Amino acid sequence: VKKLLDNTIIAGTVIMLILAIYNSGIDLKISIPKFNLNSVLSNARRHITYRQREAPKEVEDSSETFKSTTVSFVHNPTDTLALVNKSYRFNEGYVPGDLVRVNIPFAGSVIWEERLMRREAAEALEKLFESASKQNIQLRGISGYRSYETQRHLYYLTVRNMGVEYAENYVAYPGHSEHQSGLAMDLVGPVSYSQLSTSDFGNTKEGKWVEKNAHSFGFIIRYPEGKEKITGYNYEPWHLRYVGIEAAREIKEKGLVLEEYIEW
Ligand SMILES: [Zn+2]
């Protein structure tokens, strides 16, 4: 029993030491696989703006407020052309049935869940990364699948810490993130996270390569410049969405966004 106690104390001390170093902000150049709130939040807050919606008075009211607006459920969630945006949301229980770990390099502090994509999209993304690497383009994944629970967690955490108005403006309301489809992945170049938070990624050689080549692997830049009114999002050169090679080529050639392509 004493040995067990000793071991527990040693383990506890090591954990506390790691946490202390981690929280002190010293960059040890190691990746600790834990929930990094800042990176996930900074990533999430770029996704949906709910500026046009009246901010609910209480956190608990927000679901009801949201339900009373014209939002429909995605009727074809498993379709590679499934449309999810401010008007279409996933059911709370929707989890793609074929999520797999994407075999690509990830930026540090990416939570386990966000390293997943649906099999077809994962395989296509691996080919994209392989091709990029051959041309000396170094990309890393930063955020793939994001569950309803993660979205809800982020949303309420933001409400609690930053207030309802801030949350409504910067964080995807649960069910409305395209990342729940398992068909989206945010990318980053070799520079830093900060590059991701602005449209600057589009001006880097990595961003330009992605813009030029993504369609050959079945991906589109989901939120392009100049289509903000249709997509409801600002320009996000880092957010790739898998739609399949045929659709991606047509969307690219005709300069459409998914909303337009589906109606076309
Ligand atoms: Zn994204």
Side-chain angles (χ1 to χ4, degrees):
V1 174
K2 189 178 182 298
K3 193 152 193 272
L4 188 70
L5 265 175
D6 285 350
N7 287 341
T8 310
I9 289 166
I10 290 166
T13 310
V14 169
I15 289 167
M16 281 170 72
L17 194 64
I18 289 171
L19 283 175
I21 292 168
Y22 189 63
N23 289 330
S24 71
I26 298 165
D27 184 4
L28 290 176
K29 304 242 179 281
I30 52 168
S31 169
I32 299 170
K34 74 188 275 287
F35 184 83
N36 184 328
L37 177 62
N38 283 337
S39 71
V40 177
L41 272 182
S42 69
N43 183 27
R45 76 169 62 100
R46 280 184 299 277
H47 283 264
I48 292 190
T49 32
Y50 284 96
R51 216 175 288 277
Q52 78 276 33
R53 300 186 193 285
E54 202 176 294
K57 299 198 173 33
E58 306 289 339
V59 171
E60 286 71 22
D61 289 345
S62 46
S63 299
E64 290 311 312
T65 305
F66 206 78
K67 276 175 197 159
S68 68
T69 62
T70 49
V71 171
S72 313
F73 282 109
V74 176
H75 60 89
N76 55 346
T78 59
D79 195 318
T80 49
L81 290 176
L83 181 67
V84 55
N85 56 22
K86 290 181 178 177
S87 304
Y88 292 96
R89 57 161 292 182
F90 283 116
N91 189 300
E92 183 171 343
Y94 178 67
V95 180
D98 55 354
L99 290 173
V100 295
R101 164 79 188 262
V102 192
N103 189 20
I104 56 167
F106 279 90
S109 306
V110 174
I111 60 173
W112 180 80
E113 177 187 283
E114 295 189 295
R115 296 170 187 252
L116 305 175
M117 280 183 105
R118 289 183 57 196
R119 186 179 300 279
E120 186 180 340
E123 286 170 2
L125 192 65
E126 285 163 9
K127 284 182 190 156
L128 182 149
F129 266 63
E130 206 176 303
S131 176
S133 177
K134 279 181 187 156
Q135 293 166 61
N136 205 26
I137 297 294
Q138 303 306 322
L139 297 167
R140 286 175 297 168
I142 195 164
S143 182
Y145 171 67
R146 200 176 292 155
S147 68
Y148 186 93
E149 273 309 310
T150 298
Q151 296 170 57
R152 183 153 69 183
H153 185 63
L154 287 171
Y155 183 79
Y156 286 123
L157 218 52
T158 310
V159 168
R160 204 182 63 193
N161 294 328
M162 308 296 288
V164 170
E165 201 181 328
Y166 183 93
E168 297 269 305
N169 280 314
Y170 291 100
V171 179
Y173 198 87
H176 286 261
S177 172
E178 195 174 54
H179 287 272
Q180 195 177 337
S181 71
L183 297 170
M185 178 64 77
D186 293 335
L187 302 178
V188 67
V191 184
S192 69
Y193 277 113
S194 59
Q195 189 192 57
L196 184 82
S197 57
T198 68
S199 57
D200 290 351
F201 178 68
N203 294 322
T204 62
K205 72 169 181 173
E206 291 79 22
K208 284 175 182 164
W209 188 92
V210 168
E211 216 278 322
K212 194 177 164 209
N213 296 289
H215 68 284
S216 305
F217 301 91
F219 289 91
I220 55 169
I221 309 286
R222 179 68 177 87
Y223 309 114
E225 215 164 3
K227 299 277 189 175
E228 294 85 352
K229 286 213 167 73
I230 304 170
T231 63
Y233 292 86
N234 288 332
Y235 175 43
E236 292 195 0
W238 60 83
H239 179 108
L240 286 189
R241 160 67 194 269
Y242 182 78
V243 290
I245 289 177
E246 195 191 331
R249 196 179 54 232
E250 275 179 353
I251 286 169
K252 165 101 171 157
E253 277 172 7
K254 297 187 164 60
L256 305 173
V257 289
L258 192 54
E259 282 83 357
E260 295 170 309
Y261 179 73
I262 285 166
E263 282 177 14
W264 176 66

